[in-house]
Amino acid sequence: MEENSNASNVARAIVAALDWSSSPDARNAAVSYLESIKAGDIRVLASTSLLLVKKDWSSEIRLHAFKMLQHLVRLRWEELNSTERRNFANLAVDLMSEIANPCEEWALKSQTAALVAEIVRREGLNLWQDLHPSLVSLSNNGPIQAELVAMMLRWLPEDITVHNEDLEGDRRRLLLRGLTQSLSEIFPMLYTFLERHFGAALNEVGRQQLDAAKQHAATVTATLNAVNAYAEWAPLSDLAKYGIIHGCGFLLSSPDFRLHACEFFKLVSSRKRSVDSSSSEFDSAMSNIFQILMNVSRDFLYKSTSSGVVIDESEYEFAEYICESMVSLGSSNLQCITGDSTILSHYLQQMLGYFQHVKLTLHYQSLPFWLVLMRDLVSKPKIVGLAAADGSIDNNPSSGSGHIDNERRKLLSFINDDVCGTMLDVCFQRLIKREKVLPGTSFSLGPLELWNDDFEGKGEFSQYRSRLLELARFVASDKPLVAAIKVSERIATIIKSLLLSPISAQDIAVMESMPMALENIASVVFDGSNEYLGGSSETQLALCRIFEGLLHQLLSLKWTEPALVEVLGHYLDALGLFLKYFPEGVGSVISKLFELLNSLPFVVKDPRTSSARYARLQICTSFVRLAKSAEKSLLPHMKGIADTMDYLQREGYLLRAEHNILGEAFLVMASVAGVQQQQEVLAWLLEPLSKQWVQVEWQQTYLSDPTGPLRLCSETSFMWSIFHTVTFFERALKRSGIRKGSLNSQNSSTASSTPLHPMASHLSWMLPPLLKLLRAIHSLWSPPVSQSLPGEIKAAMIMSEVEQTSLLGEVNPKLSKSVLGSIDGCQIDTNKEYAESHETDIRNWLKCIRDSGYNVLGLSATIGDSFFKCLDISSVALALVENIQSMEFRHLRQLIHSVLIPLVKFCPSDLWEEWLEKLLHPLFIHSQQALSCSWSCLLREGRARVPDVHAILAGSDLKVEVMEEKLLRDLTREIGALLSVLASPGLNTGLPSLEQSGHFSHGNMSSLKDLDAFASTSMVGFLLKHKGLALPLSQINLEAFTWTDGEAVTKFSSFCGVVVLLAISSSNVELREFVAKDLFYAIIQGLGLESNAFVSADLVGLCREIFVYLSDRDPSPRQVLLSLPCITPHDLLAFEEALAKTSSPKEQKQHMKSLLLLATGNKLKALAAQKSMNVITNVSTRPRSMVNAPEPRIEEGDSVGLAAIL
């Protein structure tokens, strides 16, 4: 009677807990009552739950009761005695018999099977042996009973296949051992289920008994799910011995079960031979799998290439999964069939068939196999006996790598010219997206299904294209002649098709797809390490003839359309490495590039011809690419290029942007020639710029007062002239300097000391006006100035649509070509009103000056002493941080990233005092206030409130909130990046190791140094010495642990690690108290945020360091721990005793983690173990389909196949 009363109470509580129409208090009370039952008397829990799983109760109550029983078995099983456990197991098996009813829900069946499986896992092998006869007998009673047994067998190895942190390693090993020993009973049972119920399902369909057929089909599906639970770990020899491989292979012919069977082959195909397994048995089983999958592949590939045969999407989906398994087989176990030349040949032909298949999904699935295979074949030295004069090869199998070399040589014999040629053909054809090629183009691609943006789940096209090009490089490395011929023929065919018919945009797209392929193949053939260059003269001459012929064909083209001119330039610069080793063609290429440049209109007025401006810039960029790849081959032509540049500039045929890019190409050429040549080129390029740049008049007119920038923005031509000057400074700094290895080419007298940077002598005149310009731009955002600005300037200062789109993570709209037009001072988009055009002009200019100006300062700082000694810190501080409180978050982040981080990295230690306090103090003060305010708003109100979006009116509030949060997180992470740089080893060379510091702290306290002793050799020590820097910096670090940004906390924690080390190493009481109390507590708070899970190990490590090394010197660490809600003094004492027993930092960290979890009542979400409590969900292992579910193939009542009834 009491049991029934308890059951009724629990049932009502379950209903109340699941009833969302109940009040929150009622639901909470119900949940609390259910938890008390689960934690109370175990026998009451068992009897009550066993009553509630009976048919008398609703499905919701029964399901919850099953979960309570599973909770008992998993977490409280040991509280029952052996007799009770055995009785409980028998009752659970009886439940399986009771629930074997067609009317029962699948979920209830699954929970019953999961309960029995859980009991068997807990009790071990002995219980399985006792239950086995009963389970066999039960399964013989009918398909529903067999389905339940199959479900139980499916859940049995769950703790092996799904990692549970709450399952100890020993228990897992015991379970694995027990299950392995039981496979001789489990696998025959599963095979019997497959054979018996598949045949029975077909028979019942033939007899029109569809309900019975459904039951047998469900058993087959459950059995396949069970088989798949063993496929990843059970010995492959057992899977073969007991017919599992054969049975699943047979079901590949059944349209109704083949996808489940595919899952099995997907799992076993990636298995690798273990060290202790029998290689012959493994190879035999894997060879059998090869044969099964190859038979299926053969039939499909034959069918798909036969004319008049229609293949539906379900067939393609099936083929995709087969191909996936074939790829796994070849990538992991190809050695199993290399001994049989016939099988190996057929396998490679089938994989080639998939790779060249017109269906994109099949081609895509096979691509990884060919990448792995070709990478392996070309990455190791070929066994071609280069060292032997007679060409003999060491075939002695006893040599270290003889067997592997023989296998590789056999594979290479199958990867012949035809196979490589086919791979290259496919790669070249697929280097273009479907969106760019429409039906009816002159260069037909036939039925080939190209990549399209709707190709679900396959990443970006750029990633796919990179993999195709990587494969082309591997092929070129193995077969350079084949690759050279193929790429040349492909380009010639495209050119011919363009010359024979009117050119369309789609034809140009096909033409545009090949320069990257040409460049990649040329980079392999002519990289200097390929044996063919230094080997056979016949091969070398053949390669040269091919590329020379292609070059002559390209040079002969007389294209003047901007799009074709642009792509022709790309083809020419793609041959840079060829020209590096064969410089005879360099002069012709340079002449052709200038010819192409001059063929395009210089003055662009009609927006329809604006593409010419872009094409001109691309031709100039081709000079840069050519200079980078051809290197010294261009040096004899430098004077000719310079003369042509001077002529074009004198005649007014060269725009500033174009001159800058050609100047950059010159700097690349000069970097090959050495420092002296660089200095001469820089003097030639910079002298004309310096004459205008250093003039006092323009600086006084435009930069001396708040209205100056307004006047500058009204002078469009001069405004863009300034921009081009600044961008060329940026290019000059990026392209100048000492190349790696070039010091070796200098004479020995200069090699002993680092040569002066070629740009060092130019910084003194280049940077002061730039600082004034940046200060003027920064002032526009200060309230006194911004309030009086005209509307056009205010609008230009608002974030652009492109920046907003980027923050939202959306696809950027294509940039207007008007931006390209405006960079030379003329606005070409006449479709817009002038005011809007000028507003865009100003916005682009402000952004470009800020981007390039910051980069110039950051790059200049990397030069070192020359930068810091040629500038006055006062002017730098005025320019950078005078108006820092008015900066928007995006601009402040950019300033930190591009300027302050390089400046901190390269500032000489003797200038830290003079420079860093003036720059970092305003930054830290403002950053602490701004971040604290914005994070507080975000965590309290759900909105960050950043200054960047205040003037944005367009767009939904949700989009504005997303942008605000992104801006806040970006700035927070950039501040963290700055702190991690400040804490980097290179800037803290004077710090002792933690072991040394710990020795001092536990030993003689008098050996501890004052904090001032570290200030000259430790950047963090220097910062902490200055209270004006230390206070806001410390506050930022403390608050950072409360912000929900794990990525930022990762960076802050590295800085805190150095602070902790200084507190341990120094005698500074104030620092020690801060670390032992405030920082220690803040870190523990940070562990309460789930966002810090990724960095939790580092945070626990910091807690361990603070306690281990500071608790003897300061009472705060113990006080902080004792202030936590669930800790007792006894717990703390036991923790300290455990620490004292080990000197292992890893073990001490584990003790600290356990104590923190105990002390907080498991409330530290960052440390919460991700435990799978084996709550069974109704998840099928059937692979996800990329195609829509097919419509039923028959009308109700027909009896064609099992698909109609599933």
Side-chain angles (χ1 to χ4, degrees), residues 241-270:
K241 177 181 177 181
Y242 297 108
I244 301 299
I245 294 175
H246 169 75
C248 291
F250 179 81
L251 290 177
L252 290 175
S253 62
S254 168
D256 309 292
F257 303 112
R258 62 188 182 187
L259 293 186
H260 283 83
C262 278
E263 181 70 13
F264 168 78
F265 286 105
K266 174 184 173 182
L267 293 170
V268 297
S269 294
S270 57

Short mmCIF file of all heavy atoms in Angstrom, two decimals, residues 241-270:
data_model
loop_
_atom_site.label_atom_id
_atom_site.label_comp_id
_atom_site.label_asym_id
_atom_site.label_seq_id
_atom_site.Cartn_x
_atom_site.Cartn_y
_atom_site.Cartn_z
N LYS A 241 35.20 -13.35 -39.05
CA LYS A 241 35.01 -14.75 -38.67
C LYS A 241 33.54 -15.09 -38.44
O LYS A 241 33.07 -16.18 -38.83
CB LYS A 241 35.81 -15.02 -37.39
CG LYS A 241 35.66 -16.42 -36.82
CD LYS A 241 36.50 -16.55 -35.55
CE LYS A 241 36.32 -17.92 -34.91
NZ LYS A 241 37.12 -18.02 -33.65
N TYR A 242 32.80 -14.19 -37.84
CA TYR A 242 31.41 -14.48 -37.49
C TYR A 242 30.42 -13.94 -38.51
O TYR A 242 29.23 -13.85 -38.23
CB TYR A 242 31.10 -13.93 -36.09
CG TYR A 242 31.92 -14.59 -35.02
CD1 TYR A 242 32.95 -13.91 -34.38
CD2 TYR A 242 31.69 -15.92 -34.67
CE1 TYR A 242 33.72 -14.52 -33.40
CE2 TYR A 242 32.45 -16.54 -33.68
CZ TYR A 242 33.47 -15.84 -33.05
OH TYR A 242 34.23 -16.46 -32.09
N GLY A 243 30.91 -13.56 -39.69
CA GLY A 243 30.03 -13.25 -40.80
C GLY A 243 29.47 -11.84 -40.83
O GLY A 243 28.63 -11.53 -41.69
N ILE A 244 29.90 -10.97 -39.92
CA ILE A 244 29.34 -9.62 -39.87
C ILE A 244 29.69 -8.85 -41.15
O ILE A 244 28.83 -8.17 -41.73
CB ILE A 244 29.84 -8.87 -38.62
CG1 ILE A 244 29.47 -9.62 -37.35
CG2 ILE A 244 29.30 -7.44 -38.60
CD1 ILE A 244 27.97 -9.78 -37.15
N ILE A 245 30.93 -8.95 -41.59
CA ILE A 245 31.33 -8.25 -42.81
C ILE A 245 30.54 -8.77 -44.00
O ILE A 245 30.03 -7.99 -44.82
CB ILE A 245 32.85 -8.40 -43.04
CG1 ILE A 245 33.63 -7.69 -41.93
CG2 ILE A 245 33.25 -7.87 -44.41
CD1 ILE A 245 35.14 -7.88 -42.01
N HIS A 246 30.43 -10.08 -44.08
CA HIS A 246 29.65 -10.68 -45.18
C HIS A 246 28.20 -10.23 -45.14
O HIS A 246 27.62 -9.86 -46.17
CB HIS A 246 29.74 -12.20 -45.11
CG HIS A 246 28.79 -12.90 -46.02
ND1 HIS A 246 28.99 -12.97 -47.40
CD2 HIS A 246 27.61 -13.55 -45.77
CE1 HIS A 246 27.98 -13.63 -47.94
NE2 HIS A 246 27.13 -14.00 -46.97
N GLY A 247 27.59 -10.25 -43.94
CA GLY A 247 26.18 -9.89 -43.83
C GLY A 247 25.93 -8.44 -44.21
O GLY A 247 24.98 -8.14 -44.96
N CYS A 248 26.77 -7.54 -43.74
CA CYS A 248 26.60 -6.12 -44.10
C CYS A 248 26.88 -5.90 -45.59
O CYS A 248 26.23 -5.07 -46.22
CB CYS A 248 27.52 -5.26 -43.25
SG CYS A 248 27.04 -5.20 -41.51
N GLY A 249 27.83 -6.66 -46.12
CA GLY A 249 28.09 -6.54 -47.55
C GLY A 249 26.91 -6.98 -48.38
O GLY A 249 26.58 -6.38 -49.41
N PHE A 250 26.24 -8.05 -47.93
CA PHE A 250 25.05 -8.52 -48.65
C PHE A 250 23.95 -7.46 -48.62
O PHE A 250 23.26 -7.23 -49.62
CB PHE A 250 24.55 -9.83 -48.02
CG PHE A 250 23.32 -10.37 -48.68
CD1 PHE A 250 23.40 -11.11 -49.85
CD2 PHE A 250 22.06 -10.13 -48.13
CE1 PHE A 250 22.25 -11.60 -50.47
CE2 PHE A 250 20.92 -10.62 -48.74
CZ PHE A 250 21.01 -11.36 -49.92
N LEU A 251 23.78 -6.77 -47.49
CA LEU A 251 22.72 -5.77 -47.35
C LEU A 251 22.98 -4.51 -48.16
O LEU A 251 22.08 -3.68 -48.32
CB LEU A 251 22.52 -5.41 -45.88
CG LEU A 251 21.90 -6.51 -45.02
CD1 LEU A 251 21.82 -6.07 -43.56
CD2 LEU A 251 20.52 -6.89 -45.53
N LEU A 252 24.20 -4.36 -48.69
CA LEU A 252 24.45 -3.23 -49.60
C LEU A 252 23.61 -3.33 -50.87
O LEU A 252 23.42 -2.33 -51.57
CB LEU A 252 25.94 -3.17 -49.97
CG LEU A 252 26.91 -2.74 -48.86
CD1 LEU A 252 28.35 -2.85 -49.34
CD2 LEU A 252 26.61 -1.33 -48.37
N SER A 253 23.12 -4.52 -51.14
CA SER A 253 22.28 -4.69 -52.34
C SER A 253 20.82 -4.38 -52.06
O SER A 253 20.00 -4.40 -52.98
CB SER A 253 22.41 -6.13 -52.86
OG SER A 253 21.95 -7.05 -51.88
N SER A 254 20.49 -4.10 -50.81
CA SER A 254 19.10 -3.81 -50.45
C SER A 254 18.90 -2.30 -50.35
O SER A 254 19.51 -1.65 -49.50
CB SER A 254 18.76 -4.45 -49.10
OG SER A 254 17.52 -3.96 -48.62
N PRO A 255 18.05 -1.73 -51.18
CA PRO A 255 17.83 -0.28 -51.11
C PRO A 255 17.34 0.20 -49.75
O PRO A 255 17.54 1.36 -49.40
CB PRO A 255 16.77 -0.02 -52.20
CG PRO A 255 16.89 -1.19 -53.13
CD PRO A 255 17.26 -2.35 -52.26
N ASP A 256 16.72 -0.69 -48.98
CA ASP A 256 16.13 -0.28 -47.72
C ASP A 256 17.12 -0.25 -46.57
O ASP A 256 16.91 0.47 -45.59
CB ASP A 256 14.97 -1.22 -47.37
CG ASP A 256 14.01 -1.37 -48.53
OD1 ASP A 256 13.34 -0.38 -48.86
OD2 ASP A 256 13.98 -2.46 -49.15
N PHE A 257 18.19 -1.03 -46.64
CA PHE A 257 19.13 -1.14 -45.53
C PHE A 257 20.56 -0.73 -45.91
O PHE A 257 21.46 -0.77 -45.07
CB PHE A 257 19.15 -2.58 -44.99
CG PHE A 257 17.81 -3.07 -44.55
CD1 PHE A 257 17.16 -4.08 -45.26
CD2 PHE A 257 17.17 -2.52 -43.46
CE1 PHE A 257 15.92 -4.54 -44.87
CE2 PHE A 257 15.92 -2.97 -43.06
CZ PHE A 257 15.29 -3.98 -43.76
N ARG A 258 20.76 -0.35 -47.14
CA ARG A 258 22.15 -0.15 -47.59
C ARG A 258 22.83 1.05 -46.93
O ARG A 258 24.05 1.03 -46.74
CB ARG A 258 22.19 -0.02 -49.11
CG ARG A 258 21.43 1.17 -49.68
CD ARG A 258 21.38 1.08 -51.19
NE ARG A 258 20.70 2.23 -51.79
CZ ARG A 258 20.41 2.31 -53.08
NH1 ARG A 258 20.72 1.30 -53.89
NH2 ARG A 258 19.80 3.36 -53.56
N LEU A 259 22.08 2.08 -46.56
CA LEU A 259 22.74 3.23 -45.93
C LEU A 259 23.21 2.89 -44.53
O LEU A 259 24.28 3.34 -44.09
CB LEU A 259 21.80 4.44 -45.91
CG LEU A 259 21.46 5.03 -47.27
CD1 LEU A 259 20.65 6.30 -47.12
CD2 LEU A 259 22.71 5.30 -48.10
N HIS A 260 22.43 2.07 -43.80
CA HIS A 260 22.90 1.59 -42.50
C HIS A 260 24.13 0.69 -42.68
O HIS A 260 25.07 0.75 -41.88
CB HIS A 260 21.79 0.84 -41.79
CG HIS A 260 20.76 1.72 -41.18
ND1 HIS A 260 19.71 2.23 -41.90
CD2 HIS A 260 20.61 2.20 -39.92
CE1 HIS A 260 18.95 2.98 -41.11
NE2 HIS A 260 19.47 2.97 -39.90
N ALA A 261 24.11 -0.13 -43.69
CA ALA A 261 25.27 -0.99 -43.96
C ALA A 261 26.48 -0.15 -44.36
O ALA A 261 27.62 -0.47 -44.01
CB ALA A 261 24.92 -2.00 -45.06
N CYS A 262 26.23 0.94 -45.09
CA CYS A 262 27.32 1.85 -45.45
C CYS A 262 28.00 2.42 -44.22
O CYS A 262 29.22 2.61 -44.19
CB CYS A 262 26.78 3.00 -46.31
SG CYS A 262 26.58 2.60 -48.05
N GLU A 263 27.21 2.70 -43.20
CA GLU A 263 27.78 3.23 -41.97
C GLU A 263 28.77 2.24 -41.37
O GLU A 263 29.84 2.62 -40.86
CB GLU A 263 26.67 3.54 -40.97
CG GLU A 263 27.14 4.12 -39.65
CD GLU A 263 27.68 5.52 -39.77
OE1 GLU A 263 27.48 6.17 -40.82
OE2 GLU A 263 28.32 5.99 -38.81
N PHE A 264 28.45 0.95 -41.43
CA PHE A 264 29.37 -0.06 -40.93
C PHE A 264 30.69 -0.02 -41.71
O PHE A 264 31.77 -0.01 -41.11
CB PHE A 264 28.73 -1.45 -41.07
CG PHE A 264 29.70 -2.59 -40.84
CD1 PHE A 264 30.07 -2.95 -39.56
CD2 PHE A 264 30.25 -3.29 -41.91
CE1 PHE A 264 30.97 -3.99 -39.34
CE2 PHE A 264 31.14 -4.33 -41.71
CZ PHE A 264 31.50 -4.67 -40.41
N PHE A 265 30.60 0.01 -43.02
CA PHE A 265 31.83 0.01 -43.83
C PHE A 265 32.62 1.31 -43.67
O PHE A 265 33.85 1.32 -43.75
CB PHE A 265 31.50 -0.27 -45.28
CG PHE A 265 31.14 -1.71 -45.54
CD1 PHE A 265 29.82 -2.09 -45.76
CD2 PHE A 265 32.12 -2.69 -45.51
CE1 PHE A 265 29.49 -3.42 -45.97
CE2 PHE A 265 31.80 -4.03 -45.71
CZ PHE A 265 30.48 -4.39 -45.94
N LYS A 266 31.92 2.39 -43.44
CA LYS A 266 32.60 3.66 -43.17
C LYS A 266 33.45 3.55 -41.90
O LYS A 266 34.59 4.04 -41.84
CB LYS A 266 31.58 4.78 -43.03
CG LYS A 266 32.17 6.12 -42.62
CD LYS A 266 31.07 7.14 -42.40
CE LYS A 266 31.63 8.44 -41.83
NZ LYS A 266 30.57 9.43 -41.55
N LEU A 267 32.90 2.89 -40.89
CA LEU A 267 33.61 2.77 -39.61
C LEU A 267 34.79 1.81 -39.70
O LEU A 267 35.88 2.09 -39.19
CB LEU A 267 32.64 2.31 -38.52
CG LEU A 267 31.53 3.31 -38.15
CD1 LEU A 267 30.50 2.66 -37.24
CD2 LEU A 267 32.13 4.54 -37.49
N VAL A 268 34.59 0.65 -40.35
CA VAL A 268 35.67 -0.34 -40.38
C VAL A 268 36.75 0.02 -41.40
O VAL A 268 37.91 -0.39 -41.25
CB VAL A 268 35.13 -1.76 -40.67
CG1 VAL A 268 34.21 -2.22 -39.58
CG2 VAL A 268 34.46 -1.83 -42.03
N SER A 269 36.40 0.82 -42.41
CA SER A 269 37.38 1.13 -43.46
C SER A 269 38.52 1.98 -42.94
O SER A 269 39.63 1.93 -43.47
CB SER A 269 36.69 1.86 -44.62
OG SER A 269 35.77 1.03 -45.26
N SER A 270 38.26 2.77 -41.91
CA SER A 270 39.30 3.64 -41.39
C SER A 270 40.11 2.98 -40.27
O SER A 270 41.02 3.60 -39.71
CB SER A 270 38.68 4.94 -40.85
OG SER A 270 37.72 4.66 -39.86
#
